Coordinates of all heavy atoms in Angstrom, one line a residue:
K275 N -14.2 11.3 -15.7 CA -13.3 10.2 -16.2 C -13.8 8.9 -15.9 O -13.9 8.0 -16.8 CB -11.9 10.4 -15.5 CG -11.2 11.7 -15.7 CD -9.9 11.8 -15.0 CE -10.0 11.7 -13.5 NZ -10.7 12.8 -12.8
S276 N -14.3 8.7 -14.7 CA -14.8 7.3 -14.3 C -16.1 7.1 -15.0 O -16.4 5.9 -15.5 CB -15.1 7.3 -12.8 OG -13.9 7.4 -12.1
D406 N -9.6 2.0 -13.3 CA -9.9 3.3 -12.7 C -9.1 3.6 -11.5 O -9.3 3.1 -10.4 CB -11.4 3.3 -12.4 CG -11.9 4.7 -12.1 OD1 -11.1 5.7 -12.1 OD2 -13.2 4.9 -12.0
E407 N -8.1 4.4 -11.7 CA -7.1 4.7 -10.6 C -6.6 3.5 -9.9 O -6.8 3.4 -8.6 CB -7.7 5.8 -9.7 CG -8.2 7.0 -10.4 CD -8.4 8.2 -9.4 OE1 -7.8 8.2 -8.3 OE2 -9.2 9.1 -9.8
V436 N -7.5 5.4 -15.9 CA -7.7 6.7 -15.3 C -6.7 6.9 -14.2 O -6.4 6.0 -13.4 CB -9.1 6.8 -14.7 CG1 -9.2 8.1 -13.9 CG2 -10.2 6.7 -15.7
Ligands
LIG64 MG1 -13.2 8.9 -10.9

Side-chain angles (χ1 to χ4, degrees):
K275 304 178 297 296
S276 297
D406 195 351
E407 304 197 23
V436 172

